[in-house]
Amino acid sequence: RSQTQKKKHRENKKKMEKQDIIFVPSPGAGHLLVSIEFAKSLIKRDNRIHTITILHWTLPFVPQSKNSAKSLLASEPRIRLLPLPEIQNPPPLELFFKASEAYLLDFTKKTVPLVREALSALVSPRNGTESVRIAGLVLDFFCVPLIDVGNEFNLPSYIFLTCNAGFLGMMKYLPERHSRTPSELDLSSGEEEEHSIPGYVCPVPTKVMPPGQFVRESYEAWVEIAAKLNEAKGILVNSFTSLEKNAFDYFARRHENYPPVYPVGPIKEIARALELSGHRFLWSIRTNPMEKACPYDLLPEGFRDRTEGKGLVCGWAPQVEVLAHKAIGGFVSHCGWNSVLESLWFGVPIATWPIQ
């Protein structure tokens, strides 16, 4: 058999194998929830995935996060939660209140031996006839120190950014700025620095930058995280192209020494909020007009059943007739001019969500 045929045979065999994916989210509630919803969405969409294992640890001040994760995974038996042992020497809590980003990064570094041990067990041969292999790691952006652990096991690491593409542009900018000005941001000098952030239309002043970048420990943590992103196989962003066109257009142009960026959102925060609120709602979701898609297909599993009798999800909706109805108490709008005028005319308060 020729070398080309052997290579093709190996590739076809790899495609037919069932694959496991290892998720390592940050234990903060917002990060953990979105990571779990992304895992659930991924396993439903790709039948090559056999299981997803979520390596989970708890922060000393959020011990209940394990129970929250278990409840969110109850409906999906192919996703399993693997708790890591408790960290015996966590960073001092004072650091969290002074520089939370530095605290979380230090905490992640202390989990490295535990994650290495867990991965060693997971990649070991398993009993049974079905071949299952670990396809790679999906890491929260606070978990970038674990890229090195993945490399030890020849596993590609993908970063899951729970923030938006604009935030990723800022992260790409930070190491570049740091090479010129190796210090945290400062407003006390009186001369305000402007920042030309990739994917932004205009430079932004220092005063609108995230608060952590004015604290030395947090700033250094951000720079370290941002520099490590370059080593990932790819970056998955919880956003979508039409929401952040400029940022995604920038990242669509391949940049040397920077991984490809993929929009994978939104991971359904709106659906979760509506469900928890208990309020009645009408939600109009635009789908691709070229495809016969049901809006419910984009939402979390079981959402339709859990909100039955309280809400309705549809494609197009007669907006004027809806806003004119006496039962309407509020309108979440992308703020097209017609929508603004119609809301004003019918006296319906708008929760604004502008999109260009």
Side-chain angles (χ1 to χ4, degrees), residues 49-69:
I49 301 174
H50 180 262
T51 52
I52 291 178
T53 300
I54 298 179
L55 303 185
H56 175 57
W57 66 89
T58 57
L59 296 171
F61 46 88
V62 197
Q64 70 277 15
S65 63
K66 179 182 173 182
N67 294 332
S68 301

Side-chain angles (χ1 to χ4, degrees), residues 4 19 109 136 158 199:
T4 303
Q19 301 178 16
K109 290 177 180 177
Y158 290 82

Side-chain angles (χ1 to χ4, degrees), residues 182-339:
S183 65
E184 68 272 21
L185 303 184
D186 184 19
L187 285 174
S188 62
S189 65
E191 295 183 6
E192 188 168 346
E193 182 181 4
E194 285 205 331
H195 308 273
S196 297
I197 296 177
Y200 284 35
V201 176
C202 302
V204 297
T206 296
K207 64 184 178 184
V208 304
M209 297 291 276
Q213 295 184 18
F214 297 86
V215 179
R216 180 179 59 81
E217 293 86 349
S218 283
Y219 171 79
E220 290 174 353
W222 280 127
V223 172
E224 183 176 344
I225 291 169
K228 196 73 175 173
L229 292 178
N230 295 7
E231 300 176 26
K233 183 76 171 178
I235 301 175
L236 316 173
V237 183
N238 184 20
S239 186
F240 54 101
T241 305
S242 58
L243 179 62
E244 299 185 86
K245 187 176 186 305
N246 290 317
F248 280 117
D249 281 352
Y250 170 81
F251 285 112
R253 302 189 292 271
R254 291 301 300 272
H255 301 277
E256 189 176 358
N257 299 323
Y258 207 76
V261 174
Y262 306 99
V264 298
I267 311 301
K268 307 172 209 80
E269 291 94 338
I270 299 174
R272 182 71 175 157
L274 283 173
E275 187 178 337
L276 292 174
S277 73
H279 289 292
R280 296 182 179 276
F281 64 88
L282 171 66
W283 188 4
S284 172
I285 300 178
R286 290 184 183 179
T287 56
N288 189 337
M290 304 302 292
E291 300 174 1
K292 294 181 179 179
C294 172
Y296 280 104
D297 293 342
L298 304 174
L299 301 177
E301 183 181 0
F303 177 81
R304 185 175 201 160
D305 295 332
R306 293 192 299 270
T307 57
E308 188 175 10
K310 289 184 179 178
L312 174 66
V313 178
C314 62
W316 178 86
Q319 184 168 292
V320 172
E321 287 85 348
V322 171
L323 292 173
H325 199 282
K326 63 181 180 181
I328 301 300
F331 180 34
V332 179
S333 172
H334 293 325
C335 301
W337 186 234
N338 286 340
S339 296

Side-chain angles (χ1 to χ4, degrees), residues 171-184:
M171 293 292 281
K172 187 174 187 300
Y173 165 76
L174 279 180
E176 298 167 4
R177 177 202 177 266
H178 190 72
S179 65
R180 302 189 305 270
T181 311
S183 65
E184 68 272 21

Side-chain angles (χ1 to χ4, degrees), residues 147-163:
I147 292 176
D148 294 333
V149 182
N151 291 339
E152 294 173 19
F153 293 92
N154 295 316
L155 295 175
S157 294
Y158 290 82
I159 300 301
F160 179 42
L161 189 69
T162 54
C163 305

Side-chain angles (χ1 to χ4, degrees), residues 64-78:
Q64 70 277 15
S65 63
K66 179 182 173 182
N67 294 332
S68 301
K70 280 185 175 180
S71 66
L72 289 169
L73 293 172
S75 64
E76 183 46 80
R78 291 190 296 156

